[in-house]
Amino acid sequence: MRTPEVVIEGLAGPLIVDVTAFGGPPTVCVSGEPVPRVQDTYLLPLANGGQVAGRLRRYALDPYPTIEIDGEKHRTGPAVPVGLRILALLPLALVGLGGLVGGLFGIAGLASNMIILRKSWPVVTRAAAMAGVLAVAATLALAIPAMIAVALD
């Protein structure tokens, strides 16, 4: 997922972060060109020809990382409401409801909700989609063990 362009004063151009869905270091680009990374620090080109160090910070259930340059934090995308973050986690409660099968559907639901969380849809639309994912996951987590129990009798 690519973040929207962020214009940060002093950099050689707009900054974009390409975040991988399942781990791996993100790629940071300035003016469309990838910048070198040394461990967890990115060497960002300045408009005057120099370089400045920037560090990406990723927070739980926030699809957009924050880049810190000279102690100043810059978001690379819009803030995600706390309510959506909580709603994204709810499928994990299926572990307690349905054991192993519930856990499998809970993890699938969480993964689906993380994709929805990254969408630029209105908050109400994302909340409705996440509630739908929870409803489908819960239905499957309860129905499949019931069907297996009936089949085994």
Side-chain angles (χ1 to χ4, degrees):
M1 174 201 73
R2 294 182 76 108
T3 64
E5 288 187 351
V6 178
V7 177
I8 300 173
E9 187 177 338
L11 290 185
L15 180 130
I16 296 175
V17 180
D18 192 3
V19 180
T20 57
F22 297 105
T27 302
V28 176
C29 299
V30 175
S31 295
E33 296 295 320
V35 298
R37 181 174 66 89
V38 179
Q39 294 177 348
D40 61 344
T41 302
Y42 294 85
L43 303 175
L44 308 170
L46 295 171
N48 65 11
Q51 288 183 331
V52 65
R55 297 183 75 178
L56 280 182
R57 302 280 186 228
R58 296 168 106 176
Y59 300 101
L61 296 176
D62 190 352
Y64 300 104
T66 299
I67 189 157
E68 186 177 334
I69 302 170
D70 288 335
E72 189 175 343
K73 295 179 181 178
H74 304 274
R75 285 197 53 82
T76 60
V80 177
V82 174
L84 282 183
R85 293 183 196 186
I86 292 169
L87 193 54
L89 280 176
L90 283 181
L92 289 181
L94 295 175
V95 172
L97 186 65
L100 178 63
V101 174
L104 292 174
F105 283 108
I107 290 170
L110 175 64
S112 299
N113 282 348
M114 290 307 295
I115 292 169
I116 293 168
L117 201 61
R118 290 183 177 100
K119 299 288 184 187
S120 59
W121 302 339
V123 172
V124 173
T125 305
R126 287 185 285 170
M130 287 184 196
V133 165
L134 177 61
V136 168
T139 301
L140 291 173
L142 294 173
I144 289 180
M147 289 188 296
I148 291 171
V150 168
L152 293 176
D153 282 345

